[in-house]
Amino acid sequence: MTGVIPANPPRLGPVAGRLDGNEHTGLVAYELGPDMTDHVGWAKTHRDGIRAVLGTRGAVLLRGLPVDLELFDGIVRAVGGDPLPYTERSTPRTSVTEAIYTSTEYPADQAIPMHNENSYSDAWPGHLFFFCQIAAATGGATPIADSRSVLRLIPAEVRERFSGGIVYARAFREGLGLSWQEAFQTDDPAAVEAYCARHGQSFQWTEDGLRTRHHRPAEQTEPHGGERVWFNQANLFHASSLDEEVLEALLSLYDEADLPRHAYLGDGSPIGPADLAAIKAAYDEASFSLPWRPGDLMMVDNMLCAHGREPFTGERRILVAMTP
């Protein structure tokens, strides 16, 4: 891997860091231990060190925290600053506080494909914070994949086909996926139109709801080391990410233009299944995960690391906050 990645993770005060991962992706874990009494104070004192590790490795895991919502909020603010609201939503979540949400509420037996948060938009959070309140009985890990490695693992001919970017298409209708009111967090059609205009999205009101389309790049340059990263949600937005029977049922009822989400190449042409398979293979090879423990807090640089979710059994509750 490239980038300025320390061979020995920095010690942050009394806490030593441990590097864990595979040849493509890794994180630095800090076991805070039962003797620490001021976790937020520790995070404030070592904010620069934590952010330096995030800016090179891409992910930091804190273990041994009490399962406490106020503590989670305090560390988020100490390291990341004021949390961001979840805007231009594409997945169902529940607000726990004004700026803390549940992780995406998809059925437990489904995996969530790897993605960088809000990379389909022209505005995205810089850092993500995942906090484990309840660990699943089995499965349920949040895998990460280094976006620099994913880019290198995708064949050159596939990257070339994506060089013109990606078109994201969404259709909002009552009872199918998110409503436009939930996605845009407003009941005012004029506010939706103004948002689309500001963010370069086309829109069309229909008898059933709303359609939007917008064009975004497939790659970006991350600001820390100036490296290129694979940064999009083509694989997640593409209709083939749905269960096959669900997709067949939807297409028997609706035109492709009325699917809740879909993705195309930048010129509007279809994304081929072989290219989607190549992208999935790159994510699969790069991915690394650790089982959740209650009190784990994983911080992720959103441009340097994609994330997903493994299927699980039993109760699972992972909270999420986003910061600049």
Side-chain angles (χ1 to χ4, degrees), residues 207-287:
E207 291 183 2
D208 299 307
L210 172 69
R211 293 175 182 164
T212 65
R213 289 173 74 94
H214 63 286
H215 181 273
R216 297 294 302 150
E219 302 178 15
Q220 295 278 1
T221 299
E222 58 85 16
H224 306 292
E227 296 182 83
R228 297 293 285 175
V229 293
W230 188 251
F231 192 77
N232 63 77
Q233 288 196 23
N235 61 319
L236 184 55
F237 262 69
H238 197 273
S240 64
S241 68
L242 295 170
D243 179 83
E244 187 174 347
E245 291 184 1
V246 172
L247 179 56
E248 287 180 0
L250 287 174
L251 289 174
S252 71
L253 296 171
Y254 308 112
D255 293 336
E256 187 177 283
D258 288 313
L259 292 175
R261 295 187 306 198
H262 202 21
Y264 303 88
L265 293 175
D267 61 2
S269 61
I271 300 173
D275 286 355
L276 289 168
I279 293 167
K280 182 181 184 302
Y283 277 128
D284 288 347
E285 183 172 346
S287 294

Side-chain angles (χ1 to χ4, degrees), residues 12 49 82 96 104 118 124 146 165 218 235 295 297-298 303 324:
L12 300 180
D82 291 337
V96 178
T104 297
N118 280 49
W124 55 83
D146 189 290
N235 61 319
L297 196 166
M298 183 168 68
M303 292 196 77

Side-chain angles (χ1 to χ4, degrees), residues 91-292:
T91 59
R93 301 177 189 264
T94 299
S95 295
V96 178
T97 69
E98 185 178 352
I100 295 175
Y101 306 89
T102 59
S103 56
T104 297
E105 295 168 353
Y106 279 175
D109 62 344
Q110 296 180 13
I112 297 178
M114 302 297 292
H115 61 284
N116 303 84
E117 197 67 35
N118 280 49
S119 53
Y120 54 82
S121 176
D122 63 350
W124 55 83
H127 296 94
L128 310 176
F129 297 77
F130 299 91
F131 186 58
C132 179
Q133 281 194 318
I134 302 173
T138 64
T142 299
I144 58 173
D146 189 290
S147 301
R148 297 163 291 190
S149 294
V150 172
L151 183 71
R152 289 192 291 272
L153 289 167
I154 293 172
E157 63 272 18
V158 176
R159 288 180 56 189
E160 178 60 29
R161 280 189 283 276
F162 279 87
S163 62
I166 297 159
V167 173
Y168 296 98
R170 303 185 70 177
F172 304 91
R173 62 193 304 136
E174 192 67 32
L176 184 62
L178 298 186
S179 66
W180 62 262
Q181 292 92 338
E182 183 177 359
F184 291 97
Q185 292 292 285
T186 180
D187 293 320
D188 183 2
V192 174
E193 294 176 8
Y195 181 94
C196 290
R198 289 196 306 273
H199 295 274
Q201 301 189 24
S202 65
F203 63 87
Q204 177 190 7
W205 295 102
T206 68
E207 291 183 2
D208 299 307
L210 172 69
R211 293 175 182 164
T212 65
R213 289 173 74 94
H214 63 286
H215 181 273
R216 297 294 302 150
E219 302 178 15
Q220 295 278 1
T221 299
E222 58 85 16
H224 306 292
E227 296 182 83
R228 297 293 285 175
V229 293
W230 188 251
F231 192 77
N232 63 77
Q233 288 196 23
N235 61 319
L236 184 55
F237 262 69
H238 197 273
S240 64
S241 68
L242 295 170
D243 179 83
E244 187 174 347
E245 291 184 1
V246 172
L247 179 56
E248 287 180 0
L250 287 174
L251 289 174
S252 71
L253 296 171
Y254 308 112
D255 293 336
E256 187 177 283
D258 288 313
L259 292 175
R261 295 187 306 198
H262 202 21
Y264 303 88
L265 293 175
D267 61 2
S269 61
I271 300 173
D275 286 355
L276 289 168
I279 293 167
K280 182 181 184 302
Y283 277 128
D284 288 347
E285 183 172 346
S287 294
F288 169 74
S289 65
L290 289 172
W292 283 114

Side-chain angles (χ1 to χ4, degrees), residues 73-92:
D73 182 79
I75 293 178
V76 168
R77 294 175 186 275
V79 177
D82 291 337
L84 299 170
Y86 180 36
T87 57
E88 198 179 327
R89 301 184 178 194
S90 68
T91 59

